[in-house]
Amino acid sequence: ARNCSLTGAFHSPRLHMKTSTHPQQGFTLIELMITVAIVAILASIALPNYQSHVTSTRRTTAQACLLELAQFMERYYSTNNMSYLSAALPTTECRTNLANHYTFAFASTPTATAYAITATAQGAQATRDSSCTPLQVTQTGARTPSTGCWK
């Protein structure tokens, strides 16, 4: 007689199908594409804000450097017979640090009673900050441009 029990020789084909007890691991292509899209959106928002902040920070540093150079000029004036003649801008740390982004120079040769020092943006700084270049300070403390660039 034939044994028709489930443990016998005659099994239903459905009982022998492999069933996975471990779920598949990894990401599907659509999950990966959604992640890349989210990162791209965040980067498109963050990068311009970051560049704007860097530009503003460099401008503020250039302004501080101009004021430091103006203080040097005032010390020079008081120790050289009340004259700005023959003054040369010193090589300061701020000028060295900003060398790739700004050039510092006299707007014209200082006279006995007057000077004007400019900081002219260059490269990417000039492109991103075109409305605030050149920055200038004079012996009277006048700062240009006067609209929105100096803080």
Side-chain angles (χ1 to χ4, degrees):
R2 290 186 176 191
N3 185 355
C4 290
S5 71
L6 291 177
T7 57
F10 300 106
H11 294 280
S12 167
R14 283 187 266 175
L15 295 177
H16 289 288
M17 288 177 30
K18 287 186 177 181
T19 57
S20 176
T21 58
H22 302 288
Q24 289 183 345
Q25 295 181 4
F27 299 104
T28 64
L29 182 59
I30 192 72
E31 290 171 331
L32 186 59
M33 290 181 70
I34 289 171
T35 303
V36 168
I38 291 170
V39 169
I41 291 168
L42 291 175
S44 70
I45 294 168
L47 186 60
N49 287 337
Y50 173 75
Q51 288 176 335
S52 174
H53 178 71
V54 168
T55 300
S56 175
T57 300
R58 285 183 183 143
R59 181 185 342 118
T60 301
T61 304
Q63 291 167 349
C65 194
L66 275 175
L67 296 177
E68 180 180 340
L69 293 171
Q71 288 175 351
F72 167 81
M73 291 299 292
E74 295 308 317
R75 285 191 304 274
Y76 184 89
Y77 182 81
S78 65
T79 58
N80 288 284
N81 299 323
M82 305 308 238
S83 175
Y84 298 115
L85 286 175
S86 303
L89 294 177
T91 302
T92 60
E93 185 177 353
C94 67
R95 286 182 68 187
T96 304
N97 291 344
L98 289 171
N100 293 330
H101 309 289
Y102 281 92
T103 56
F104 296 88
F106 288 115
S108 59
T109 304
T111 66
T113 58
Y115 70 87
I117 307 170
T118 62
T120 306
Q122 54 188 352
Q125 183 72 19
T127 303
R128 293 185 191 130
D129 204 21
S130 60
S131 64
C132 290
T133 190
L135 297 167
Q136 187 176 63
V137 66
T138 67
Q139 81 284 350
T140 63
R143 302 172 185 180
T144 57
S146 58
T147 56
C149 295
W150 286 85
K151 295 183 179 184

